[in-house]
């Protein structure tokens, strides 16, 4: 790691002023992605602004027909939360399947969403459930938020504060994990709810998370795994690496989408 | 240089660190608590697991300054008055270790499991150990040890 100045603000306002006062600052939430990145010297921020002590960023509440999760809420807290388990069990299952217990104890939803790793779970959760990302500047629909490989609509000086999930009638998440890292080789969130029928796929594409319109149309008429029979995705733009070829990933999208719909019950 | 203060194994400690100093470096170098191991330094192996405010964390992926004011427990804090913690005793009894390199992390990870789930089955134990890698044992006796420890701790 290169040296940096460390800040531990107690409020969102203090975090914003620390960020704007830094020549090349970055915020840190759980550090489970940022610290490994810094260790590899893939980034060299002048200042690291730790959001970990900001109580306002943590917690889960029900708000009308939505579940609102603070950006600094760790994966274990989402997985174990009684309201999330009751209202959106697919989201609890998604959080429960991230990495390992120690990563889940520290890694946060805000960090995962801001990072937009093409093989991370939460991007599929947010896009599939039609979530809204609230920041220090505005509200952004998941459809407009994930703009590409590790790219989001966030500005450099914008901090995610919370994420709001409309409660669906039905939703299921399934993933085919990389056996070593547990990241998704393919992960699918399929949901039927206020945001319509949505199918979002992570892990598979070079461009990051994406929706499958043909599957959504089929499930709109009949929300069952059988409705997905014969619907595939093209191999173009699929990731290909030592873990899985593009053809294999394209095939897996169909298989995992059916499992997600089945998990939705 | 910034200074950091925390409670480690029940004792108030403090020291000078850099922003980039990892918690595991602070424990091993500043406090000479070398029971917490560094296997990979890339957040994969779990040899460095300690508890921060009661929850298991990879100390190679936490900055020392992030633990400001925290209660930290390391493997050195598990035995009480010379008596092994029931999890340590079970690892010994059931041959849950060979070279022992992964053991501190295994024990600290298991302790977090058993505080959440007093009676885990084999699948739950194996799933929980996702982030703890052992190059020697093949895990079988580790799972047995944790199972036995759970039994002993339930009394
Ligand atoms: C061994 C291991 C296994 C893993 N397995 C999985 C897995 O199976 N599935 C999966 O999805 N993920 C996995 N992860 C990643 C993990 O979920 C991370 O916790 C997560 O991606 C990042 O969250 P964080 O809170 O640690 O963010 P940090 O590392 O603190 O930050 C990540 C990025 O987000 C930015 N950021 C953080 N918070 C905010 C905010 N509030 N507003 C704006 N920007 C912000 C930071 O500046 C940084 O660029 C794994 C990680 C490890 C180490
Ligand atoms: S040394 Fe921390 S996970 Fe391997
Ligand atoms: S006992 Fe040697 S690595 Fe586990």
């Amino acid at each position: 790691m290169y040296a940096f100045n460390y800040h531990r603000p107690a409020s969102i306002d203090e975090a914003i002023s620390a960020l704007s006062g830094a020549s090349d600052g970055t915020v840190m939430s759980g550090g489970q992605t940022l610290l490994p990145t810094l260790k590899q010297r893939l980034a060299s921020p002048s200042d690291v602004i730790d959001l970990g002590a900001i109580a306002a960023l943590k917690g889960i509440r029900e708000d009308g027909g939505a579940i609102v999760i603070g950006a600094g809420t760790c994966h274990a807290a989402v997985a174990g939360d009684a309201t999330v388990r009751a209202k959106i069990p697919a989201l609890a299952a998604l959080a429960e399947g991230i990495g390992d217990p120690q990563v889940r104890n520290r890694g946060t939803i805000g960090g995962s969403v801001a990072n937009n790793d093409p093989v991370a779970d939460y991007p599929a959760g947010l896009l599939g459930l039609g979530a809204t990302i609230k920041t220090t500047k505005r509200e952004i629909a998941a459809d407009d938020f994930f703009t590409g490989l590790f790219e989001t609509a966030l500005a450099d000086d914008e901090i995610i504060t919370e994420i709001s999930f409309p409660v669906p009638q039905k939703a299921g998440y399934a993933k085919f994990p990389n056996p070593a890292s547990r990241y998704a080789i393919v992960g699918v969130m399929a949901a039927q709810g206020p945001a319509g029928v949505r199918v979002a796929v992570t892990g598979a594409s070079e461009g990051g998370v994406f929706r499958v319109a043909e599957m959504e149309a089929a499930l709109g008429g009949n929300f069952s795994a059988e409705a997905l029979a014969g619907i595939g995705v093209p191999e173009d733009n699929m990731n290909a690496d030592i873990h899985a070829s593009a053809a294999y990933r394209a095939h897996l999208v169909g298989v995992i989408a059916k499992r997600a719909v089945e998990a939705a019950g | 240089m910034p200074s950091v203060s925390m409670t480690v194994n029940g004792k108030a400690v403090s020291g000078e660190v850099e922003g980039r100093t990892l918690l595991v470096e602070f424990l091993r170098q500043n406090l000479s608590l070398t029971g917490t191991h560094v296997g990979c330094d890339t957040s994969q192996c779990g040899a460095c697991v300690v508890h921060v405010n009661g929850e298991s964390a990879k100390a190679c992926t936490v900055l020392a300054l992030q633990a400001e004011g925290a209660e930290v427990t390391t493997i050195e804090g598990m035995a009480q008055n010379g008596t092994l913690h029931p999890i340590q005793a079970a690892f010994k009894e059931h041959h849950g270790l060979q070279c022992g390199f992964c053991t501190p992390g295994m024990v600290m990870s298991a302790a977090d499991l058993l505080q959440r789930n007093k009676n885990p089955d084999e699948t739950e134990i194996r799933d929980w150990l996702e982030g703890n890698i052992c190059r020697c044992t093949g895990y079988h006796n580790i799972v047995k040890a944790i199972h036995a420890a759970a039994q002993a701790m339930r009394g």
Side-chain angles (χ1 to χ4, degrees):
Chain A
M1 259 190 272
Y2 294 107
F4 53 77
N5 303 310
Y6 172 87
H7 308 259
R8 194 171 169 79
S11 71
I12 296 169
D13 286 345
E14 279 174 49
I16 291 169
S17 61
L19 193 55
S20 58
S23 60
D24 182 18
T26 185
V27 296
M28 172 168 77
S29 189
Q32 301 302 290
T33 293
L34 185 66
L35 292 175
T37 308
L38 295 181
K39 283 185 187 182
Q40 291 179 67
R41 296 194 162 184
L42 293 172
S44 54
S46 62
D47 295 73
V48 170
I49 296 122
D50 179 5
L51 307 176
I54 305 177
L57 290 177
K58 294 189 182 139
I60 300 172
R61 64 174 203 276
E62 217 177 331
D63 187 355
I67 303 290
V68 183
I69 303 180
T73 309
C74 70
H75 309 325
V78 174
D81 183 77
T83 312
V84 178
R85 293 175 81 100
K87 301 280 171 164
I88 321 182
L91 191 61
L94 178 152
E96 182 75 43
I98 293 175
D100 57 54
Q102 288 72 39
V103 168
R104 294 195 290 275
N105 279 345
R106 296 199 70 87
T108 66
I109 187 168
S112 178
V113 168
N115 196 46
N116 193 17
D117 190 318
V119 295
D121 294 284
Y122 267 123
L126 269 70
L127 192 59
L129 292 164
T132 302
I133 295 100
K134 296 190 184 169
T135 75
T136 43
K137 294 175 187 278
R138 57 194 162 138
E139 297 192 357
I140 311 168
D143 282 304
D144 303 322
F145 184 85
F146 301 106
T147 51
L149 192 72
F150 294 107
E151 294 288 337
T152 69
L154 283 178
D156 284 346
D157 58 347
E158 193 170 11
I159 297 175
I160 301 175
T161 54
E162 56 188 29
I163 293 148
S164 173
F165 294 88
V167 175
Q169 283 122 40
K170 279 182 175 188
Y173 184 70
K175 87 164 154 175
F176 190 89
N178 176 318
S181 75
R182 310 322 274 180
Y183 277 103
I185 288 183
V186 170
V188 177
M189 176 66 85
Q192 183 174 37
V197 170
R198 300 168 71 99
V199 177
V201 180
T202 190
S205 165
E206 285 172 349
V209 65
F210 67 97
R211 289 172 66 185
V212 187
E214 212 186 327
M215 290 185 177
E216 293 177 354
L219 292 173
N222 171 16
F223 197 85
S224 74
E226 297 78 64
L228 295 179
I231 304 179
V233 294
E235 276 177 43
D236 327 339
N237 305 322
M238 287 286 128
N239 278 322
D241 54 29
I242 54 165
H243 308 296
S245 66
Y248 185 72
R249 276 195 170 82
H251 176 72
L252 266 185
V253 171
V255 174
I256 300 300
K258 285 181 198 142
R259 286 188 196 167
V261 171
E262 274 162 7
Chain B
M1 254 208 274
S3 69
V4 67
S5 304
M6 64 186 87
T7 304
V8 177
N9 300 330
K11 242 175 63 189
V13 297
S14 56
E16 305 272 289
V17 294
E18 283 188 84
R20 61 181 166 178
T21 304
L22 299 169
L23 178 58
V24 72
E25 294 169 341
F26 180 71
L27 294 171
R28 290 178 56 88
Q29 284 156 30
N30 293 49
L31 305 181
S32 301
L33 292 174
T34 52
T36 304
H37 292 164
V38 178
C40 65
D41 199 25
T42 57
S43 327
Q44 311 288 324
C45 75
C48 64
V49 170
V50 300
H51 292 195
V52 179
N53 293 327
E55 296 194 326
S56 57
K58 292 173 179 168
C60 77
T61 316
V62 179
L63 298 174
L65 287 165
Q66 282 180 281
E68 171 66 37
E71 299 262 350
V72 174
T73 309
T74 70
I75 189 68
E76 289 91 344
M78 294 302 273
Q80 295 298 326
N81 306 319
T83 306
L84 291 180
H85 185 280
I87 301 175
Q88 293 173 304
F91 268 67
K92 189 174 169 207
E93 172 69 21
H94 294 272
H95 305 284
L97 61 153
Q98 288 178 19
C99 80
F101 194 85
C102 70
T103 315
M106 288 285 178
V107 169
M108 298 313 289
S109 185
D112 193 8
L113 169 64
L114 297 185
Q115 72 185 357
R116 292 164 198 254
N117 182 349
K118 303 221 170 324
N119 192 12
D121 64 24
E122 181 178 342
T123 310
E124 288 168 329
I125 295 172
R126 287 186 185 273
D127 280 354
W128 185 267
L129 296 179
E130 178 62 47
N132 292 88
I133 294 174
C134 176
R135 295 302 300 268
C136 301
T137 64
Y139 301 97
H140 198 65
N141 286 351
I142 292 176
V143 175
K144 260 207 248 174
I146 295 172
H147 209 260
Q151 225 164 5
M153 287 163 72
R154 286 197 307 274

